[in-house]
Amino acid sequence: MTATDGGPAPPGADPAVPIGGHAPAGLAERSRAPRLRTVQALARAEAFLLARSLLVLAGLVAGGLLIWLLIHPVQPLWWNAAWEIGDGQLALAIGVLVAAQLATGRARRNAMGDLYTSFPATAGTRTLAHLAGLLGAVPASLLLIAAATVVVQARGAIGAPGIAVLAGGLLLVIAAGAAGIAIGTRFPHPLAGLLGALALFLSSTLFQGGIIWLLPWEIKQDDLGELPSPLAGYPPADAHVVELAGIAVLAGVVALAVTVRGGRAWGGLATAGILAVAVICLAGAAQLRPIPTTDLNHLIAEVADPASVQRCTTADQVRYCLYPGFGRDLPSLEAPVSEVLAHLPARPDQPLTIRQVVSVDFTQPALTDPTLTHGHSKRQEAQWNAQLRREERFLNAAALAIYLPVGSWPAAGAQLADAHFAMALGAAEWAVHLPPATGGLYSSVFLPCVPLNQAREAIAIWLAILATHPPAGELQGGLHSRGYSIGAWVRSTVVPTWAYPGAQYLVSSGPPITAAGYLLANAMTSLPEQKVARVLKDAWGRWLNWRTTDTQLAAALGIPMPGLPAFLKPHPRRGVSIAPPPSNERDPLCTT
Amino acid sequence: MHRRNAARIAATTVSSDQAKPSPKVLVTPRSPDIPRTEGAPPAPGQPIRHAQRPRLAWLRPLPLLARHITRTMPWVTLITGCLAGTAYLAIMAHVAGTSHSPLGQGSVRLAFLPAVAALAFVPRAWFRPVTQATPVPAWVGPAGHILLAAPVLAVTCWAQLRLMAHTIPSDTPGPPPAIYPVIAQLTGWCAVTVAAAACVDRSRYTDLGGAIAAAVSFAAIALAWYAPITSRFLTEPYATAHGVTVAWYAIATAALALTCAAMRDQWHRYTRDLYRLSSLQSKPS
C-alpha cells in the first residue's frame, strides 16, 4: 500500500471533497491549495515508502554483494572499479524498477481506479508524485557508492575514481525507477515489472562491440580491468550520463502522458519527449565515436613495448618492471621471490625478469572486446596487430621472465597468498632451470613442455612451499580441480598434473606441474628443512639435470617415492580422455 | 474477470450437486453450521459432522469445471512471459548469426526466465473463501491451471532449444552437448516456482503471490547457480550431466510434493492471531 494508492494520508495532502461539493468552508479553502504542495506531500510519502521497500533493500544488498564479488578477487584499479560499482547499481536499479512499477500500478491492479479518480489529486498529480518519490532510492544508491568507494580505496586502489562513471550509476537507478513508473501506469500487472527488470538485466549482456555503451549498463563485455591506465573515451562516461538522464526524462514523460489530460499539458510533454529523444540520440552518437587514434597508439605502444613506459627495479638478480602507478605492488612481488632466493644453494647465471603485461588481445575479436578498435579501419587494425606480433617475438626471445597480467595481482586475503605462491613457484622454476613455456602471449598455440619424472620439479615446488607456507588442504585440492582430475599427454601416456594455487594470476610462468612432482615435494616438507637443504646443496648440479629422476631424489632423502592416488588414474568420466590426441597436440618433454 | 469466473466456478460446482441431497450451500468455513471439507479439523467445541456424499463425488463436476478453468487461466500472462523470453533469444540468435558465435545453453536458460516469472502467476486460487466452501476441493482450479501451463512451457522450451540449435553450424566438430540436463534444470525451476507460488498463495501476501514467488524463484536459481555448495551438484561441468539431471528432478519432485501440500491446505493464513480469534468465537457473547 502506498500513499498515493490508499495508504495513510500524508501530511499536507488535500482531503477529499465530499460528494456534491457541499464542503465546509475551511475544507474548500484547503482543497484550493497549490497542486505543487500536494505533489510535494505525496512525493515525500512515496519517497519514504520507496526507501524502506523490501525490494529496494534487497537490491541494495544484492548490489553490495555483486560489487564485492567483482572487486575482491582482482587488483583494485579505479578506472575499472568505478564501472563495477555501477554493476552493483544495476542490481539496485532492478529492485527500484519492480518496486516503482508495483507502487504505480496498484490502484488499477486492485480495481480501485474509480475510487482514486474521486480523490482531489488527479492521476497526473499522483504520477508526478511517484516520479518525484524516486528520490527515495537516491540514499540507497549513494550508500552503495560510498561504501564501495571506501572499500576500494581501503584495498589500495590505483588511480582516481571517475565522478562521471559513479554519477552514471546513480542516474541508472533513477532511470530504472522512472521506467518502472512508466510501465506501471500502462501495465499494472506485476509481471510487467518483472519483465522490465529482466529486460534491464538481460540487455546488459546483449551486444558486443561499440554498441555496448548504448545499453543502460553493460556488465561483462569490457576490458577495463586489463588496461594499464585509464583510456579516454573508454567508457564514454560523460555521454553515457547524458543518455541515462535522457532515458529518465523520457520514461517520466511517457508515464505522465498515460495519465495527464489536457491539450496544454500534452504539448509540454510532447516537447519534453522530443527533447529527451534528441538528447538520447546525441549522447548515443557521441558514445559510438571511435576512441581517438592517438590514444590507441599510445595504448598499443604500452602493450607492445612495455619497456618504453615501464619502470624497472633490480634486486637480487631479479628485475621487476611495472607500469607507472603500480609501484606500490613492488614489495608484495619481491617478498616471495626473496624467500625463494634465500633458500637457494646457488643462483642461476641468467637473470630473471618479472614484467607486467597487458593481456588484452586485439587480434581475436571473438574472444575479447572489439569496443577498443570500434570504428577504426581494417588497415589501422592490421598495423596494430603487426606491431603486437613483432613485440611478441621479442618477448619470446628475451631472457627468462614471469609475466604478470595488469590488474590480476590481488590486494589482500587468500587470493594474495595464492598469488604469492604462484610467484614463488615461478621464481623457483627459474632457479632450477625449468624452461619457460613456449608460445606467445597472443598465440593460440600454447605447448609447454612437461618435466615428467624430473627431480628439479619437486625441488622447485618444495622451495615455493617453503617460501610461502600455503595451507596443505589447498595444495592437496589442486590434484582434482573442481571434481575433475586433470592431465597432459606426453608421448602416448597421460600424465596427471597438479593445479597449483594462484596459477591464474600469472601468464605462462613455466611448465605444467605433474602430480607426482607435487606429491614428492609434499613428502619433502615433512622432513627437517636442514636435511633437505644439505642433500640439495651437496649435489646441486646433479639435481638440476633433467635426467635426474624423482626416484633418485627420494632415495637421496631416504624416503619412499609417493604413489599416485587411485582417483588420478586416467578415466573418461573424470575428465581425461583415454584416447591419445594427434601427435602435434601432445606436450613435449622438458629436456633443457 | 478472474473473480467473476471464480464465482462462476463456485456456482457451477454447487449447482451440479443440487441433484443430490446436500446439507447446505457453504459460505464460510468458520461458521459452525457448515460442515468442513475433507481434511479440515473441526473448530474447538464443535461436533464432527461427516459428509453425506461419497468421498470422490467431487470428480463428477470436473468436466463442467474444465471450461471455466480454461477461461480463468491467465493465458495472457503466461504467453507474454513465454514470448518475451523467446523474443530475447531470437534477438540473441540474430546477433550470434551476424557475429558467427553460436548460442550456448546458458542463453536458453536466461531466455526461459521470463516464462518462469509468468508461471509464478498461474497457481492462484481466486476467490478462495468461496471455492473452498464448495464440495469440490479448492485446489482443483490452481492444479488445472498448472496442467494447462505445462504444454505451453514445453512448447516454449522446445522453441528456444530449436533457436539455439539453429545458430550452431552443421560442420561443428564433435557431438553437441546433451540437452536433457537443461530440460531437467528448467523443469526444476518451474517446479520450484510453482511451489513458491502455492505457498505464498496460502499466506497473507496472496495478492502479490506471483511477484513474490518469482523473486524467490530467481533468488533460488541464482543461489543454485553461483553458490559453491549447490553449484557442485546442480551445474555442469562441476557435476556430470547425469548427476545434474538426477539432482534437478529430485528437486522438482520435492517441490511438487510441497505444492500439493500447500494447495491442499485449507486453513486461512491471512491473520496472525488465528488462535485468538478462534478463542473469541468459542466464547459465548
Side-chain angles (χ1 to χ4, degrees):
Chain A
M1 186 67 76
T2 67
T4 53
D5 293 340
D14 298 329
V17 179
I19 296 171
H22 302 296
L27 199 60
E29 187 72 24
R30 283 200 299 275
S31 68
R32 286 194 293 270
R35 186 182 175 210
L36 185 62
R37 195 174 136 209
T38 308
V39 171
Q40 281 178 348
L42 290 175
R44 215 166 25 239
E46 285 298 337
F48 174 70
L49 291 171
L50 190 64
R52 49 169 271 199
S53 163
L54 276 180
L55 285 165
V56 175
L57 294 177
L60 180 64
V61 171
L65 197 63
L66 183 60
I67 292 173
W68 173 250
L69 289 175
L70 288 170
I71 64 174
H72 95 277
V74 298
Q75 188 166 23
L77 310 173
W78 262 122
W79 53 90
N80 179 46
W83 193 261
E84 286 178 339
I85 291 173
D87 294 349
Q89 301 273 15
L90 182 69
L92 175 62
I94 287 172
V96 171
L97 189 152
V98 177
Q101 191 271 343
L102 284 176
T104 312
R106 187 159 289 126
R108 286 180 62 198
R109 194 167 54 249
N110 291 348
M112 307 280 273
D114 292 341
L115 176 64
Y116 286 101
T117 307
S118 69
F119 288 171
T122 62
T125 305
R126 294 200 302 274
T127 304
L128 206 57
H130 275 296
L131 288 170
L134 286 177
L135 289 174
V138 170
S141 179
L142 290 177
L143 179 66
L144 202 57
I145 291 174
T149 302
V150 168
V151 170
V152 171
Q153 200 62 41
R155 290 171 67 83
I158 294 170
I163 301 300
V165 179
L166 296 177
L170 175 63
L171 274 172
L172 173 70
V173 173
I174 293 174
I181 292 171
I183 295 170
T185 51
R186 182 64 187 85
F187 303 104
H189 196 286
L191 180 65
L194 288 172
L195 290 181
L198 277 173
L200 179 61
F201 171 68
L202 295 178
S203 71
S204 60
T205 60
L206 197 56
F207 298 116
Q208 290 182 333
I211 202 170
I212 63 170
W213 305 121
L214 300 184
L215 301 172
W217 207 270
E218 73 83 34
I219 56 175
K220 67 172 192 178
Q221 300 290 346
D222 60 73
D223 288 323
L224 283 163
E226 296 163 1
L227 297 181
S229 58
L231 181 63
Y234 189 84
D238 296 335
H240 196 67
V241 165
V242 174
E243 182 200 342
L244 288 173
I247 290 174
V249 172
L250 183 64
V253 167
V254 170
L256 287 170
V258 175
T259 51
V260 162
R261 297 286 176 267
R264 195 173 159 193
W266 269 89
L269 287 176
T271 308
I274 290 168
L275 281 175
V277 169
V279 166
I280 292 170
C281 291
L282 286 175
Q287 291 176 89
L288 285 176
R289 276 187 314 182
I291 299 171
T293 308
T294 50
D295 292 334
L296 276 179
N297 279 336
H298 180 68
L299 175 65
I300 297 290
E302 282 185 325
V303 174
D305 186 14
S308 64
V309 289
Q310 286 182 343
R311 291 168 191 168
C312 296
T313 309
T314 303
D316 288 337
Q317 209 182 340
V318 180
R319 200 157 172 255
Y320 302 89
C321 295
L322 304 175
Y323 283 105
F326 288 82
R328 67 178 66 173
D329 292 341
L330 193 56
S332 180
L333 294 170
E334 280 180 337
V337 177
S338 301
E339 282 293 322
V340 169
L341 294 177
H343 290 90
L344 279 181
R347 295 189 183 178
D349 300 329
Q350 283 190 314
L352 173 68
T353 302
I354 295 173
R355 183 185 293 282
Q356 272 189 316
V357 291
V358 177
S359 54
V360 176
D361 187 352
F362 296 91
T363 61
Q364 298 186 44
L367 298 178
T368 55
D369 175 21
T371 315
L372 281 168
T373 53
H374 165 76
H376 289 280
S377 64
K378 296 287 179 195
R379 188 163 160 267
Q380 178 67 70
E381 287 181 33
Q383 282 180 2
W384 286 329
N385 289 344
Q387 194 176 349
L388 288 168
R389 295 285 177 202
R390 263 199 314 274
E391 297 305 327
E392 185 185 350
R393 283 199 300 275
F394 165 76
L395 287 174
N396 284 335
L400 286 167
I402 297 174
Y403 296 121
L404 183 69
V406 165
S408 71
W409 195 251
Q415 289 87 11
L416 182 60
D418 289 351
H420 275 166
F421 180 82
M423 181 62 73
L425 186 58
E429 286 170 345
W430 159 75
V432 299
H433 296 182
L434 277 173
T438 57
L441 293 174
Y442 312 112
S443 171
S444 58
V445 180
F446 193 74
L447 283 178
C449 67
V450 180
L452 176 62
N453 196 20
Q454 297 182 10
R456 55 184 181 168
E457 178 196 38
I459 294 170
I461 302 169
W462 177 78
L463 284 169
I465 294 175
L466 213 61
T468 56
H469 302 287
E474 194 170 2
L475 297 178
Q476 196 71 20
L479 289 176
H480 44 98
S481 177
R482 294 183 182 273
Y484 278 73
S485 60
I486 46 181
W489 278 96
V490 179
R491 291 168 188 156
S492 58
T493 56
V494 177
V495 178
T497 54
W498 176 60
Y500 57 90
Q504 69 271 26
Y505 299 115
L506 303 179
V507 179
S508 64
S509 63
I513 304 299
T514 64
Y518 158 68
L519 291 170
L520 178 56
N522 193 39
M524 289 165 71
T525 56
S526 61
L527 298 173
E529 183 187 334
Q530 289 79 9
K531 179 185 176 183
V532 178
R534 192 172 57 248
V535 170
L536 296 181
K537 187 176 180 182
D538 289 347
W540 182 242
R542 181 192 171 206
W543 302 126
L544 298 189
N545 191 318
W546 70 273
R547 291 188 174 85
T548 308
T549 63
D550 287 337
T551 314
Q552 290 171 323
L553 176 60
L557 292 168
I559 55 174
M561 184 62 200
L564 286 177
F567 64 83
L568 285 177
K569 300 291 164 57
H571 191 282
R573 290 186 63 183
R574 296 198 189 105
V576 177
S577 170
I578 54 173
S583 57
N584 60 344
E585 293 179 15
R586 299 177 199 174
D587 296 322
L589 192 67
C590 297
T591 53
T592 57
Chain B
M1 173 68 176
H2 284 298
R3 293 178 186 192
R4 197 164 60 237
N5 283 328
R8 204 175 291 162
I9 290 175
T12 305
T13 53
V14 171
S15 64
S16 65
D17 285 331
Q18 279 173 350
K20 293 194 229 37
S22 175
K24 276 179 186 178
V25 175
L26 307 182
V27 176
T28 166
R30 300 298 304 168
S31 168
D33 294 333
I34 297 169
R36 298 187 174 276
T37 49
E38 55 174 321
Q46 297 300 317
I48 299 174
R49 297 170 62 182
H50 295 285
Q52 297 295 317
R53 69 179 62 81
R55 185 174 176 79
L56 295 179
W58 58 267
L59 289 174
R60 291 188 185 177
L62 280 188
L64 288 172
L65 276 176
R67 186 165 60 93
H68 296 293
I69 289 174
T70 308
R71 290 181 64 180
T72 52
M73 171 79 183
W75 291 112
V76 175
T77 305
L78 184 64
I79 291 173
T80 301
C82 294
L83 287 180
T86 310
Y88 161 77
L89 198 65
I91 296 172
M92 289 291 289
H94 178 73
V95 173
T98 53
S99 62
H100 305 291
S101 54
L103 289 179
Q105 292 180 347
S107 300
V108 174
R109 293 186 183 98
L110 282 177
F112 202 72
L113 287 179
V116 170
L119 181 64
F121 293 91
V122 170
R124 174 86 194 274
W126 292 98
F127 228 60
R128 191 173 181 109
V130 172
T131 54
Q132 190 165 309
T134 62
V136 174
W139 53 263
V140 170
H145 289 159
I146 294 169
L147 286 178
L148 287 174
V152 177
L153 292 167
V155 169
T156 304
C157 181
W158 172 81
Q160 294 185 352
L161 287 171
R162 290 290 302 165
L163 274 172
M164 180 199 75
H166 186 67
T167 64
I168 300 174
S170 55
D171 57 347
T172 303
I179 59 166
Y180 65 89
V182 181
I183 294 173
Q185 194 172 22
L186 300 185
T187 306
W189 288 4
C190 291
V192 168
T193 305
V194 168
C199 290
V200 179
D201 193 42
R202 302 300 300 120
S203 77
R204 60 203 296 262
Y205 303 103
T206 181
D207 282 348
L208 286 176
I212 294 173
V216 168
S217 305
F218 288 168
I221 289 168
L223 195 69
W225 197 261
Y226 292 110
I229 298 172
T230 50
S231 64
R232 199 181 306 163
F233 305 103
L234 298 175
T235 59
E236 293 181 281
Y238 309 132
T240 61
H242 183 70
V244 167
T245 307
V246 169
W248 276 110
Y249 279 132
I251 289 173
T253 306
L256 191 64
L258 182 62
T259 305
C260 292
M263 283 183 173
R264 284 177 58 83
D265 178 23
Q266 299 195 6
W267 287 98
H268 289 294
R269 309 278 177 196
Y270 305 140
T271 56
R272 290 175 184 168
D273 293 330
L274 193 61
Y275 176 76
R276 201 178 67 178
L277 281 175
S278 61
S279 311
L280 288 174
Q281 281 187 348
S282 63
K283 287 180 185 175
S285 55

